[in-house]
Amino acid sequence: MKNYDNVFIFNHPLIKHKISILRYKKTGMKEFRELIEEITAVMTYESMRDIDLIPVRVETPLEVTTQYRVPEESVVIVPILRAGLGMVNGVHKVFPTAKVGHIGMYRDEETLEPCEYYCKLPDGIENRTVFLVDPMLATGGSACDALDALKKRGCKKIKFMAIIGAPEGVARVAEAHPDVTVYLSTLDRELNGNGYILPGLGDAGDRLFGTK
């Protein structure tokens, strides 16, 4: 796959360990959900390296000092429904006061293209850093449509996080939205004829919520 300046792929031993368990077909729903949250939390630390900070005065037991904090109202998490919901708690472990919006997409089984059916976002989202999250970046259609929806509502600083991506989807998002940084835990080999990532881990939504 071509190298893109706006794509960051993790190479962390702990993530690789957790991904191997995540892929295993006999990993149960509870453990699968916990692993998604744990991997997301690790990713969030790295993806927040360039987040804006403000100086604050802090009184320690010994003196008053200037320290730095992330403004309380500066971050919004937007999961792409439904599988993206599994990543929200992972971000909240790092930044628990972040507000949450929702974008609903479903994939047309014939065209494999996404269709938006729901969008509810916090007021003032256009002035905040938005973390768009979805465990799987397959064709890139849902991610691109969700990014378009956010930009139409004035969002300017957006980060996209996925657990596993396919080269086809990564290229589509990176080229369509060069101003968005894409964070992946793992880049897989390819898509199959049905638009599923190989080797992948199956349907993330079904495995998260026990619907199959």
Side-chain angles (χ1 to χ4, degrees), residues 1 4 137-138 165-172 187-191 197:
M1 186 189 78
Y4 295 96
L137 176 54
E168 298 90 333
V170 173
R172 184 171 177 178
L187 180 67
D188 273 9
R189 186 177 71 249
E190 62 184 354
L191 296 177
I197 300 173

Side-chain angles (χ1 to χ4, degrees), residues 8-79:
F8 184 92
I9 301 173
F10 288 83
N11 188 28
H12 194 291
L14 184 59
I15 288 180
K16 290 181 177 180
H17 167 77
K18 292 180 183 296
I19 288 287
S20 72
I21 305 171
L22 198 67
R23 292 190 194 275
Y24 185 43
K25 67 180 183 180
K26 293 186 179 180
T27 295
M29 181 182 65
K30 179 179 181 292
E31 187 176 12
F32 189 91
R33 185 171 58 249
E34 291 171 346
L35 287 164
I36 290 286
E37 292 179 7
E38 291 166 3
I39 293 168
T40 302
V42 176
M43 295 177 68
T44 302
Y45 279 108
E46 183 64 35
S47 64
M48 292 185 75
R49 280 182 177 271
D50 63 348
I51 206 79
D52 293 330
L53 298 174
I54 57 172
V56 295
R57 299 284 285 173
V58 174
E59 185 175 356
T60 78
L62 300 175
E63 64 180 32
V64 176
T65 180
T66 299
Q67 298 294 295
Y68 298 88
R69 292 180 183 171
V70 179
E72 292 293 327
E73 298 294 319
S74 63
V75 174
V76 174
I77 313 163
V78 179

Side-chain angles (χ1 to χ4, degrees), residues 166-181:
E168 298 90 333
V170 173
R172 184 171 177 178
V173 174
E175 293 173 8
H177 296 278
D179 57 326
V180 174
T181 305

